Amino acid sequence: MINRSRQIFHVLHYPSFIKFDSSSHQGPSKNITFAGDSPQTSPIPQLAMRRRAFHFVVILLLSHALLSSSFHHPLFTDEELTDPSSSSSSNAVDDDSDDLEETAEWDDFGKPRNYDPGSWLSFMGSLSFANSSDPREVVYASGVRHMISAASSSDPAEMDAAATEIETAASAGFPHAQSTLGFLYGIGLARIQSRPKSFLYHHFAAEGGNTQSKMILAYNYLRQEMYEKALKLYAELAKAALASHIAPKEPRVIEHVRIHRGTEENTEALRKSRGEADEDFQITEYQALKGNSAAMYEIGMLYYYGLRGVKRDLARALHWFSKAVEKRDPRAMEMLAEMYGIGAAVEMNYTKAFEWLALASRHKYYPAYNGLGYLYVKGYGVEEKNYTKAREYFLKAAEHNDPSGYYNLGMLYLKGIGVKKDIAAATKFFITSANAGKPKAIYQVARLFEKGLGLNKDVQMATYLYKTVAEMGPWSSLSRWALESYLKGDVGLSLLLYSRMAELGYEVAQSNAAWILDKYGEQSICLGESGFCTDTERHHRANTFWWHASEQGNEHAALLIGDAYYYGRGTDRDYERAAEAYMHAQSQSNAQAMFNLGYMHERGLGLPLDLHLAKRYYDQALEVDPAAKIPVKLALMSLWIRKNNADSFLVKMIDSLPELYPRFKVWVDEVLLDEGNATILTLFACLLAVLYLRERQRRPAMVPREPDVAAN
């Protein structure tokens, strides 16, 4: 949980990380302090696990909002937007705003380039280093291929050989090999775990240009609250992430699927991630084939972005969008405009892009106005640039709550293009767009926090927001391959990829990797420092992943960490640290954690013996989760007995139950629930029932005596 005055709010129920209008909601809206305002303060929660739930919430917000809103690519960037004639009108802001007007090195319609060099995806897709002229690269490629194969087949010998090859390339100064070797040392895979060595290799790799190592360093700096260093890296990575969204080889919308729900497999989410094999996809495709324009558009979107396990196929996307356009679907018209604008499956043609956007706008599809505004700003597909028309179109899109329209209006006011520069107005537009999940808007808000323009300078907040955008970079595609491997039954490879993603700071990957280690640990898929993981290694690795996930706001992870310390699973029993973890989960309204804290206060385990606090926690658990009614009632009964009959036989019996229960459970599992014994016991119970019924039938019916009649 983050310190200072940042409140936590669940994105699935509160769909914005910043509220500009403080009258619309109590609490979170007060977190943003504009320049000149007095900062809001609130008590700092006394919790050592602390500090970092906010950026996890923002990440979830962004991934959630992207699936609903970011299909409409924000076609307006800060490249080439400075109007040479606007310098005379720049007196509305301080000279410091010039820092926000730097010219970017890429354009929305520019040529794509590799923003994730050395990625393992090169060995899972069609790319290859086999023909490289650099011998270090060839050795590295061989090592990674063997590492992937070893993880898939759970072969310790092959993994050790792979680590040797990777170390050879790393020793020769190849940065991508250094990054992978840092990963091996970091988790203790075919090498003795060493955090210092891991950090050192990632440092060298980052200096050599490896972006994944930069992500890892930034995440480590953030965990240590070294915000200045983390901000510098995350800002660079966020910019690269946005640049990579231009005609990417990998889908720019990556779904981070949680493969578990609590301790069980998340079967519903996994079912929806099986691509064309999913029943929902087949039903939608059938409807599309029958002429349903909405289904045509949806199928086109699935192919265009590669969502729900569907393999990205721009040609099929073009086919279905074209079919939907025949049915006059304006959303499909806008998507055709985008495809022509960036040259996706068609030859780039700005004139056709303009025509499709104009047609969509005539059907009152307001996001299309945003695209028209962009074309007038850049002068693409039109006779000449026209900033007045651009502003009109952006304003029309924004008036109908189009996030990209708000973003582009913000850019106009930020740079003074066709309007007077106005940082305050730009800030409002950026925040509104960012609330809808627009990556570029979140990036701009982060820059405003970093520079202290329009908002009070806040390096910590800027760091979290940059992290949100950075985690959308091409390196996030490892998550898709990890999920695909899991769905194919290749759990070992899935664990390897999720572990790498976990190292980069992705909370979902951290919890997925930890869950796999707990769920499949006994199936020899965990490779350790030498051979297969020992139970201690496996528990330690899982607990580390759970711990990192809990720091980022995963309440279930915090609960499992508490259980690990309470029961001594994979670590020494430590009631105080268990209580610390439960308090972290409790702060996120976890009913089980509240109940556990009440239990520990009732018995003085890791917390002071305090029956009043125990009752308070029990009551809170019932308020949060009505399903806890029975255990809470029993706990309150136990509490009443303990309070009014201290040192009695009943109290001693209650205290002995935790020790008796495991033995009773074992007896039930091994004796009563044994298949043979259960059958015999069932037959015996049936026999007793039959004998009882027969006995009742033999009993003569009792005739009631007639009352004596008094003689007259």
Side-chain angles (χ1 to χ4, degrees):
M1 186 150 98
I2 183 174
N3 60 359
R4 298 177 59 195
S5 59
R6 306 297 181 206
Q7 298 190 25
I8 308 303
F9 29 94
H10 200 294
V11 296
L12 297 182
H13 302 286
Y14 189 82
S16 67
F17 71 96
I18 299 174
K19 293 298 289 182
F20 186 83
D21 183 1
S22 61
S23 64
S24 63
H25 189 79
Q26 296 296 323
S29 60
K30 298 178 181 179
N31 290 336
I32 300 304
T33 308
F34 289 85
D37 293 345
S38 59
Q40 301 289 332
T41 59
S42 65
I44 300 174
Q46 301 300 314
L47 189 61
M49 290 185 66
R50 76 208 192 279
R51 299 194 276 269
R52 303 175 191 92
F54 181 80
H55 71 283
F56 165 70
V57 171
V58 177
I59 293 165
L60 279 184
L61 154 71
L62 190 49
S63 61
H64 176 69
L66 277 171
L67 297 181
S68 60
S69 66
S70 72
F71 293 142
H72 306 298
H73 185 50
L75 297 173
F76 186 77
T77 70
D78 45 64
E79 198 275 333
E80 294 183 4
L81 293 183
T82 303
D83 183 2
S85 63
S86 66
S87 58
S88 61
S89 61
S90 63
N91 55 1
V93 294
D94 296 333
D95 293 338
D96 291 340
S97 64
D98 294 340
D99 293 338
L100 294 175
E101 299 178 34
E102 59 192 42
T103 301
E105 298 177 355
W106 54 275
D107 183 15
D108 274 319
F109 302 117
K111 295 180 180 180
R113 56 190 176 91
N114 186 7
Y115 291 96
D116 187 22
S119 171
W120 298 354
L121 291 180
S122 303
F123 314 102
M124 306 186 70
S126 59
L127 299 178
S128 174
F129 288 133
N131 299 322
S132 173
S133 59
D134 189 339
R136 303 174 303 170
E137 202 167 41
V138 175
V139 174
Y140 167 67
S142 176
V144 173
R145 288 195 186 92
H146 284 126
M147 178 182 67
I148 291 172
S149 174
S152 183
S153 60
S154 299
D155 187 340
E158 186 176 12
M159 181 62 74
D160 188 63
T164 300
E165 287 185 297
I166 292 168
E167 189 167 27
T168 299
S171 299
F174 191 61
H176 309 317
Q178 292 169 337
S179 178
T180 303
L181 187 60
F183 164 74
L184 298 179
Y185 274 113
I187 68 169
L189 179 58
R191 290 292 180 270
I192 296 176
Q193 187 178 33
S194 173
R195 298 292 183 188
K197 283 187 177 181
S198 175
F199 183 87
L200 186 63
Y201 279 114
H202 283 307
H203 175 77
F204 290 146
E207 290 290 323
N210 186 278
T211 50
Q212 292 191 24
S213 282
K214 291 180 181 180
M215 282 286 292
I216 293 164
L217 290 178
Y219 177 59
N220 278 281
Y221 287 139
L222 184 63
R223 292 190 68 237
Q224 298 174 59
E225 299 184 343
M226 302 170 67
Y227 295 114
E228 293 286 352
K229 289 187 175 182
L231 181 142
K232 182 178 179 181
L233 287 170
Y234 275 135
E236 175 189 344
L237 292 161
K239 191 171 182 179
L242 293 175
S244 70
H245 287 188
I246 311 307
K249 294 182 179 179
E250 290 291 327
R252 62 172 175 259
V253 178
I254 301 297
E255 298 170 293
H256 297 286
V257 177
R258 200 178 301 278
I259 63 176
H260 66 99
R261 294 185 64 182
T263 58
E264 301 300 324
E265 188 175 70
N266 192 354
T267 54
E268 181 66 13
L270 294 175
R271 179 186 66 79
K272 292 182 178 180
S273 302
R274 295 186 182 276
E276 296 178 0
D278 177 38
E279 183 181 355
D280 290 348
F281 177 89
Q282 294 170 359
I283 292 173
T284 305
E285 186 178 39
Y286 175 78
Q287 293 172 338
L289 291 170
K290 289 295 183 179
N292 186 308
S293 64
M296 293 174 180
Y297 172 76
E298 184 176 346
I299 291 292
M301 294 298 281
L302 293 177
Y303 279 120
Y304 187 74
Y305 287 102
L307 299 173
R308 298 182 193 170
V310 176
K311 186 176 181 181
R312 194 180 191 215
D313 191 326
L314 296 178
R316 288 191 179 185
L318 178 65
H319 168 77
W320 285 113
F321 289 145
S322 300
K323 288 288 186 182
V325 161
E326 293 175 5
K327 300 286 184 178
R328 299 184 179 180
D329 190 316
R331 299 172 300 171
M333 296 173 188
E334 190 208 20
M335 292 308 300
L336 284 180
E338 177 172 325
M339 296 184 77
Y340 276 107
I342 64 176
V346 293
E347 185 176 351
M348 187 183 296
N349 189 322
Y350 297 128
T351 302
K352 284 191 175 183
F354 181 89
E355 291 172 355
W356 284 118
L357 288 171
L359 184 59
S361 67
R362 287 198 291 272
H363 284 78
K364 303 300 181 182
Y365 186 64
Y366 294 101
Y369 285 102
N370 176 71
L372 290 172
Y374 168 81
L375 293 177
Y376 275 110
V377 164
K378 303 287 280 187
Y380 293 155
V382 295
E383 293 183 0
E384 60 182 358
K385 295 180 180 181
N386 190 324
Y387 298 140
T388 302
K389 277 191 175 183
R391 180 180 177 277
E392 290 175 358
Y393 284 131
F394 291 148
L395 189 59
K396 195 155 191 173
E399 286 174 349
H400 292 82
N401 297 319
D402 179 62
S404 295
Y406 283 115
Y407 169 78
N408 292 332
L409 281 174
M411 291 303 302
L412 289 179
Y413 281 99
L414 178 69
K415 293 182 173 291
I417 300 176
V419 295
K420 207 170 189 178
K421 284 187 179 182
D422 190 336
I423 293 294
T427 301
K428 292 181 181 180
F429 288 130
F430 286 145
I431 288 177
T432 303
S433 181
N435 281 336
K438 280 303 180 184
K440 291 182 180 180
I442 295 176
Y443 177 80
Q444 294 296 345
V445 173
R447 296 175 74 190
L448 293 172
F449 271 121
E450 178 187 3
K451 305 297 182 181
L453 294 172
L455 298 167
N456 279 354
K457 185 171 183 177
D458 191 330
V459 173
Q460 183 177 346
M461 179 69 80
T463 303
Y464 291 134
L465 298 181
Y466 279 136
K467 181 180 188 291
T468 301
V469 182
E471 290 191 340
M472 300 173 61
W475 37 87
S476 65
S477 296
L478 283 174
S479 179
R480 181 171 65 86
W481 288 96
L483 176 62
E484 186 174 308
S485 299
Y486 184 84
L487 292 172
K488 291 179 178 178
D490 194 345
V491 182
L493 179 56
S494 179
L495 174 61
L496 177 74
L497 298 177
Y498 276 132
S499 298
R500 176 62 164 181
M501 291 287 292
E503 191 184 32
L504 269 64
Y506 290 84
E507 181 276 323
V508 173
Q510 291 166 347
S511 65
N512 284 349
W515 183 81
I516 289 175
L517 286 167
D518 286 342
K519 180 74 173 179
Y520 297 92
E522 298 179 357
Q523 299 184 20
S524 299
I525 63 166
C526 176
L527 300 177
E529 296 177 351
S530 178
F532 291 109
C533 290
T534 63
D535 284 344
T536 300
E537 280 183 298
R538 179 172 62 84
H539 283 301
H540 175 72
R541 191 181 299 178
N543 288 347
T544 299
F545 287 142
W546 284 128
W547 188 272
H548 291 173
S550 71
E551 289 179 338
Q552 301 198 75
N554 186 319
E555 64 180 63
H556 175 70
L559 189 66
L560 289 178
I561 288 293
D563 290 345
Y565 281 114
Y566 187 91
Y567 295 107
R569 296 172 184 166
T571 185
D572 295 332
R573 179 173 290 186
D574 189 330
Y575 290 131
E576 291 185 0
R577 298 198 73 176
E580 185 179 297
Y582 289 145
M583 288 176 67
H584 187 59
Q586 176 267 338
S587 69
Q588 299 168 47
S589 300
N590 185 284
Q592 181 66 60
M594 295 172 182
F595 185 90
N596 293 353
L597 289 170
Y599 182 88
M600 297 177 77
H601 270 300
E602 181 184 350
R603 287 160 176 76
L605 299 174
L607 292 170
L609 180 64
D610 191 325
L611 301 185
H612 294 288
L613 272 178
K615 184 180 185 304
R616 183 181 301 176
Y617 279 120
Y618 288 144
D619 290 339
Q620 286 180 0
L622 184 58
E623 289 176 7
V624 171
D625 187 1
K629 182 176 181 178
I630 293 178
V632 167
K633 291 296 183 185
L634 293 174
L636 291 175
M637 186 184 301
S638 166
L639 201 62
W640 183 87
I641 293 172
R642 189 180 300 276
K643 182 178 180 180
N644 296 280
N645 299 276
D647 299 326
S648 67
F649 168 75
L650 285 175
V651 173
K652 293 179 180 178
M653 184 180 70
I654 292 172
D655 288 341
S656 67
L657 288 178
E659 297 179 2
L660 293 176
Y661 173 75
R663 301 175 190 174
F664 177 74
K665 184 176 183 299
V666 170
W667 181 77
V668 170
D669 291 340
E670 296 182 356
V671 179
L672 290 185
L673 297 183
D674 179 80
E675 185 175 352
N677 292 343
T679 303
I680 294 172
L681 289 171
T682 303
L683 292 174
F684 182 69
C686 292
L687 178 61
L688 289 177
V690 170
L691 292 174
Y692 172 74
L693 293 174
R694 289 284 300 275
E695 181 63 23
R696 288 196 60 180
Q697 289 176 352
R698 288 197 186 99
R699 293 179 184 175
M702 296 184 64
V703 180
R705 290 181 58 189
E706 295 182 2
D708 295 337
V709 179
N712 293 330

